[in-house]
Amino acid sequence: MEPNTELIELIKLTLFDLTLKQVLIIKKALKKSHPRDPHLREYVIVETGKNFAKYKPNKFEEYFTERIDEDSYFQLKAYLRAIFKEIPSEYKHKKEIIRDLKIKDLFKSDLFSSIFSWLKANPKGNKLKKDITEYLNEVDENIGNLIENEPDKALELILFLQGNIFLLKNLKFELLEKLKLISTVRSNNEDEYYDDYFWIDFMYDSDLSISDLISDISEMFDSIDDYFDFDSGGDWDGDYDFDFD
């Protein structure tokens, strides 16, 4: 709902949302830089997750899902840079998102906006944006206290927010593992609250750690900006993907 959001931020948030849904996996792994390299090196890679095959992506998510399959993996930096270059423009990508999420009625559609590639919310959209901002600010202010004192409500709220948890500033991800242990919410409530949202698995599988997952992702969140640093002097295509064993 924020028309001024930069393309890089949209790419990051889409990537992390797909990761929370277990469509994609981001992890550190020891790999050879090429088949003849005798040494293993640590890379941050992206590969498909357990829900990849059954997930039906939106059009704007296909930039992420169509370049990878269950038999391949990519160096994260090269993967994101390739997606960045494939997207035709920031304006067109935002229009794709608006169309896919069926929120066109919240934005202006006059001739000047189309000619000059302006994206502006209309009065209805501005009202919704204001309401969302106030809601997220309230959640941000109270989430820590809610996790400590009303864990069931906190869990329902976090699962309802889905990938929007990355818009919160005060959520301490290490608290989520504690929340997982003390909450009494059961998986038979999933369909009622979280239809088709796959990362709820982390709350009910003792072998999975949502805290580790989100902590790892959040650690990478800001560092990913370095992947798009055009002024670094590095070769834009110098670290391309690899998908061999």
Side-chain angles (χ1 to χ4, degrees):
M1 289 304 302
E2 177 47 70
N4 294 325
T5 302
E6 294 182 353
L7 178 58
I8 291 172
E9 194 72 10
L10 294 173
I11 291 175
K12 286 162 54 179
L13 290 169
T14 303
L15 171 69
F16 295 147
D17 189 50
L18 290 172
T19 304
L20 287 175
K21 293 174 179 175
Q22 300 183 69
V23 177
L24 300 175
I25 295 173
I26 303 172
K27 65 182 184 181
K28 295 178 181 178
L30 294 174
K31 301 289 183 182
K32 293 182 178 182
S33 61
H34 57 79
R36 295 183 300 278
D37 189 345
H39 303 292
L40 293 173
R41 309 171 192 275
E42 185 178 82
Y43 293 95
V44 178
I45 67 169
V46 58
E47 61 185 18
T48 59
K50 72 172 190 174
N51 293 315
F52 180 82
K54 62 184 177 183
Y55 184 70
K56 296 180 180 179
N58 287 302
K59 186 71 175 177
F60 73 89
E61 294 171 320
E62 289 180 356
Y63 294 102
F64 297 80
T65 58
E66 288 193 343
R67 66 177 50 257
I68 195 169
D69 58 38
E70 291 165 302
D71 297 318
S72 64
Y73 60 86
F74 293 86
Q75 188 179 354
L76 180 59
K77 181 184 292 188
Y79 176 77
L80 291 177
R81 286 182 166 189
I83 290 170
F84 184 86
K85 290 196 293 183
E86 185 177 341
I87 292 173
S89 72
E90 181 177 292
Y91 173 74
K92 288 182 178 179
H93 189 56
K94 289 177 178 178
K95 294 286 284 186
E96 285 179 328
I97 295 173
I98 289 169
R99 183 186 65 244
D100 288 352
L101 299 184
K102 298 179 174 59
I103 53 174
K104 291 175 63 175
D105 63 321
L106 302 177
F107 292 87
K108 293 181 179 179
S109 58
D110 56 273
L111 180 62
F112 283 103
S113 296
S114 178
I115 292 175
F116 294 103
S117 298
W118 290 339
L119 191 64
K120 295 182 181 296
N122 59 27
K124 181 180 177 182
N126 283 324
K127 173 65 166 59
L128 179 59
K129 182 168 67 172
K130 179 175 180 292
D131 291 343
I132 291 173
T133 300
E134 291 176 352
Y135 173 75
L136 288 177
N137 285 342
E138 183 178 355
V139 171
D140 217 2
E141 188 175 325
N142 296 294
I143 189 66
N145 182 64
L146 201 62
I147 289 175
E148 291 287 350
N149 298 303
E150 297 184 78
D152 286 351
K153 288 185 179 180
L155 177 57
E156 290 183 7
L157 176 60
I158 288 170
L159 294 176
F160 167 74
L161 285 173
Q162 304 180 10
N164 294 299
I165 60 173
F166 287 106
L167 301 179
L168 302 177
K169 299 179 178 65
N170 296 326
L171 178 59
K172 294 181 172 59
F173 297 116
E174 61 270 17
L175 291 177
L176 295 180
E177 204 63 27
K178 176 182 177 182
L179 180 62
K180 175 178 175 178
L181 294 174
I182 62 179
S183 174
T184 60
V185 174
R186 293 292 178 259
S187 58
N188 60 6
N189 290 330
E190 290 174 29
D191 293 339
E192 180 180 354
Y193 293 107
Y194 323 114
D195 195 26
D196 291 333
Y197 204 70
F198 304 116
W199 70 279
I200 194 171
D201 292 348
F202 281 89
M203 288 300 181
Y204 304 107
D205 190 332
S206 58
D207 294 327
L208 295 173
S209 169
I210 190 171
S211 177
D212 289 347
L213 171 77
I214 300 181
S215 294
D216 287 346
I217 294 175
S218 61
E219 179 183 339
M220 297 173 192
F221 194 95
D222 291 329
S223 65
I224 283 179
D225 285 333
D226 296 337
Y227 296 174
F228 303 98
D229 184 1
F230 296 96
D231 300 320
S232 63
D235 183 359
W236 177 244
D237 294 306
D239 52 352
Y240 204 65
D241 59 286
F242 49 91
D243 60 1
F244 49 79
D245 292 326

